[in-house]
Amino acid sequence: MTSKQGITNYSSYSRREVMMVLLAGSAAPWVVNSSAIASSCGDRIVRLGGIAAPRSLNPFASWTAFYPLVYTYDWLVSPEAIEYPDRKGFAKEWSVADDGVTWNFKIWPGMKWSDGQPATARDAAFTYNYLRDSIGTPDELDAGYNNTSGFEVVKSVKALDDETLQIVTRVPTRWPLERSALIVPEHVWKGVSYGEARSTFRNAPPLVGTGPMIVSEFQQGQFARLTPNPYFRAGRPATAGMIFSFFNTADSVAQGLKSGSLDYGMNLTAAQWVDLSKDPGIKVGEAPTWQRNYLAFNTLSGKGAGSTKALQDPAFRNAIGYAIDVRAIVNRAFRGHADSGAGAIAPLAVDYYSDLGGIQRRFDLAEAGRMLDAAGYRDMNGDGVREDKDGKSFQLELITGNFSGNLEIPIAAVQLIAAWLAQIGIPVSVTQLDSGLLDSRTAAPAKGGGGWDLLVANSWPSVRPLAQLQFASGAQIGSSNKSYWSNQEFDALLSDINLTVELKKRQGLVDRAVRLLYTEAPYIILCYPFVFEAHRKDCFEGWGTKNMLSMYGYFPLDRLRPM
């Protein structure tokens, strides 16, 4: 079709067909990772994009592959099941006996794996016992989403029948409900040794799962292709599949939404979100998250330690906290689209959020300087740079980056921190790393990690309070604990939280742990960012409203429909 001006009229075509025509006559240097990604709405394939860098599809060996594994495997109980009754997981319902230790989970009747084999309580029992039985072995499964954390409270796990999983704990605890695992098929994993499961087993596509979308192709650093599960318990999804593209920066995500090569994008920056909101063909959204952006101190001594012992001193770390204006970070780096940082528990955790009140630091550079002087970190020679207790001038290395799947931290936040520290006599050099290198630099010292001083990064724990505190657990050093901090009192509180059911008592324990962590300051919480996301309006309907795409499960990919 051609108008009187001789310009092609594309109004009767889908936007992807338009893009194919335009691309045919251009070099299009911005085309995303795979030529398979661009197609018409008519192919009914959903295109998603975000900042992610999964290195393995093995849930026992990796923290990086939440996307796309969560679309293929079911949690025993979805973290969203309480708030959203229609997002249950592998178990349809559950109950705890009057003794407080016997939990029964009813599995969906007649459920099948994507290869057609029955999916039963026996698979769930296998998954949990596979983890539990690895404890104490040289290859304990403690390195991925499916890990042995908290299993010390478990007395037994067994399938009473095909539809009933029973977990018995040693003491009353909510662990069976809160510490959910991604359920894997026994017939695929029973021949995989613990050593293989935590390292070399790649779990190559096509995967076998009970979720709505099954990973059928995986190109590391590029994309994952998923196809509908014909045996999904709610019926085969209405779309023809999905492609999740992995990007290093949010620029590619925003560009893909504008061009039409993506239907949905996450990890957008505030500026991109504002820009996309002006496009009538795109709907934008934002929502609070469980992510915490933080400044971490390398508290190691010995192998992997930072450049100065000051990093191991709570007085030094606390003083630095007074030199960081968390409100300015929110207003200037995040343009107001975040909550100011305080304790380890995000404000979304209504039952467990701690009001730190009288102990909360205020931004005061002069006070930070006085505290450093009092702690013995003075500028002895008048050159404007402080010396530590060994007489060495400070020159700290700050590393930063984005862990796979988390929301990007604006570099402006890092620049603000470096500028404030320079004003109190602590010069900082900044090194930006991609997610792979960031993982390597923050790994356990035995695996080559450490050697840096400061880290600006993030974590996105599950909704349960124990998970939100584990980034300071001594047992998680080199894994989720990026500060390498270890404290016996704190670890004892974590154990008590795990063994406590009664809400008020649990709240008190969580509050004590949050306050201890705040005063010891291995981390300074900068903010709790909002997620910026957007979807195009022209190909699919059924996106969520509170969150367009679940941050913990596969909603709405189980019910998304072509227009």
Side-chain angles (χ1 to χ4, degrees):
M1 297 175 64
T2 306
S3 70
K4 291 181 180 179
Q5 289 80 13
I7 299 174
T8 303
N9 182 348
Y10 294 119
S11 61
S12 63
Y13 294 90
S14 79
R15 46 96 178 177
R16 283 202 179 107
E17 290 169 322
V18 173
M19 289 307 302
M20 292 297 283
V21 173
L22 295 177
L23 290 177
S26 73
W30 47 264
V31 174
V32 291
N33 301 318
S34 169
S35 60
I37 291 173
S39 182
S40 69
C41 289
D43 67 10
R44 299 183 299 115
I45 294 175
V46 187
R47 270 81 176 174
L48 311 179
I51 298 174
R55 299 190 300 277
S56 166
L57 297 179
N58 180 347
F60 297 93
S62 176
W63 291 92
T64 65
F66 181 83
Y67 305 114
L69 289 184
V70 74
Y71 306 132
T72 289
Y73 295 120
D74 267 305
W75 303 102
L76 177 64
V77 177
S78 168
E80 301 178 304
I82 304 300
E83 186 176 359
Y84 302 100
D86 60 338
R87 306 183 192 179
K88 291 290 180 63
F90 201 83
K92 179 182 179 181
E93 55 192 34
W94 50 88
S95 61
V96 60
D98 291 341
D99 61 11
V101 301
T102 304
W103 292 76
N104 288 328
F105 296 85
K106 301 301 290 186
I107 308 306
W108 296 92
M111 187 162 57
K112 292 184 178 181
W113 293 102
S114 54
D115 61 2
Q117 294 203 36
T120 72
R122 304 184 196 286
D123 294 289
F126 166 79
T127 301
Y128 276 77
N129 284 321
Y130 189 62
L131 288 164
R132 182 169 174 256
D133 293 346
S134 76
I135 295 175
T137 69
D139 296 307
E140 182 174 338
L141 299 175
D142 58 1
Y145 277 107
N146 280 4
N147 61 70
T148 55
S149 174
F151 267 85
E152 64 272 8
V153 304
V154 177
K155 183 177 181 180
S156 65
V157 181
K158 60 184 176 181
L160 302 183
D161 53 47
D162 283 354
E163 296 178 10
T164 309
L165 173 73
Q166 184 179 87
I167 298 178
V168 179
T169 60
R170 300 183 187 281
V171 293
T173 172
R174 291 179 61 83
W175 183 92
L177 190 60
E178 294 184 340
R179 175 59 179 85
S180 202
L182 294 169
I183 306 302
V184 300
E186 180 178 10
H187 63 277
V188 171
W189 286 85
K190 64 182 179 182
V192 181
S193 69
Y194 297 142
E196 293 170 322
R198 64 167 288 136
S199 58
T200 58
F201 185 66
R202 297 288 294 174
N203 198 25
L207 304 190
V208 178
T210 51
M213 294 286 170
I214 304 301
V215 179
S216 57
E217 181 183 359
F218 174 62
Q219 295 293 330
Q220 186 174 341
Q222 298 185 51
F223 67 91
R225 184 188 301 275
L226 297 92
T227 53
N229 179 359
Y231 299 104
F232 183 56
R233 61 180 175 275
R236 182 189 179 103
T239 63
M242 62 173 279
I243 295 172
F244 194 109
S245 293
F246 311 129
F247 298 107
N248 292 323
T249 70
D251 290 340
S252 299
V253 180
Q255 208 166 44
L257 285 163
K258 282 186 172 183
S259 71
S261 60
L262 291 178
D263 295 294
Y264 168 88
M266 64 175 73
N267 310 111
L268 298 165
T269 67
Q272 292 162 348
W273 183 83
V274 170
D275 183 48
L276 290 169
S277 70
K278 301 172 184 175
D279 189 325
I282 294 175
K283 180 176 177 59
V284 299
E286 68 171 325
T289 70
W290 299 93
Q291 179 171 311
R292 301 157 302 190
N293 295 343
Y294 56 71
L295 170 70
F297 297 85
N298 179 349
T299 65
L300 283 171
S301 60
K303 185 175 182 179
S307 64
T308 172
K309 294 178 182 177
L311 299 166
Q312 303 162 32
D313 183 354
F316 175 81
R317 302 193 298 258
N318 186 49
I320 296 299
Y322 280 84
I324 295 174
D325 188 345
V326 294
R327 289 186 179 85
I329 287 174
V330 167
N331 293 331
R332 294 164 63 180
F334 288 84
R335 303 191 183 191
H337 298 281
D339 288 322
S340 296
I345 304 288
L348 275 178
V350 177
D351 287 338
Y352 296 102
Y353 182 71
S354 291
D355 181 358
L356 295 175
I359 69 169
Q360 192 161 346
R361 305 177 192 95
R362 65 190 183 281
F363 175 61
D364 188 333
L365 290 174
E367 179 64 13
R370 286 191 291 269
M371 295 176 73
L372 288 170
D373 286 343
Y377 305 103
R378 298 172 175 269
D379 176 12
M380 302 300 293
N381 57 12
D383 65 352
V385 177
R386 294 178 183 273
E387 287 83 39
D388 63 19
K389 293 179 181 179
D390 293 328
K392 294 169 55 180
S393 294
F394 282 105
Q395 176 61 56
L396 302 185
E397 181 195 20
L398 186 157
I399 64 172
T400 187
N402 201 65
F403 291 114
S404 178
N406 293 350
L407 305 177
E408 188 172 3
I409 299 174
I411 192 60
V414 180
Q415 293 168 340
L416 286 169
I417 292 169
W420 289 322
L421 294 188
Q423 290 181 60
I424 59 171
I426 301 178
V428 172
S429 65
V430 175
T431 304
Q432 285 188 274
L433 303 171
D434 64 28
S435 62
L437 286 173
L438 192 64
D439 282 332
S440 298
R441 290 292 304 272
T442 58
K447 296 182 179 179
W452 48 270
D453 298 314
L454 305 174
L455 164 70
V456 172
N458 45 40
S459 65
W460 191 318
S462 74
V463 298
R464 58 195 177 91
L466 194 63
Q468 294 185 56
L469 293 170
Q470 287 215 330
F471 80 143
S473 163
Q476 294 295 317
I477 287 176
S479 181
S480 58
N481 184 347
K482 301 302 184 182
S483 72
Y484 308 117
W485 182 71
S486 182
N487 180 282
Q488 290 184 349
E489 181 183 354
F490 184 83
D491 288 344
L493 284 168
L494 292 191
S495 179
D496 290 343
I497 292 166
N498 197 35
L499 302 176
T500 302
V501 177
E502 197 271 316
L503 179 60
K504 190 171 183 178
K505 185 176 180 181
R506 212 166 194 239
Q507 288 171 327
L509 292 168
V510 169
D511 185 68
R512 285 174 57 192
V514 169
R515 289 173 180 272
L516 175 61
L517 187 60
Y518 190 85
T519 55
E520 288 286 315
Y523 296 94
I524 294 172
I525 306 300
L526 305 175
C527 66
Y528 319 96
F530 301 162
V531 62
F532 292 114
E533 55 183 348
H535 72 79
R536 294 197 62 95
K537 300 176 181 178
D538 51 356
C539 280
F540 300 96
E541 59 185 356
W543 300 99
T545 52
K546 185 176 179 181
N547 288 102
M548 296 175 183
L549 189 78
S550 167
M551 298 293 124
Y552 288 101
Y554 43 67
F555 171 87
L557 298 173
D558 54 336
R559 61 199 80 177
L560 210 60
R561 303 174 302 279
M563 298 286 280

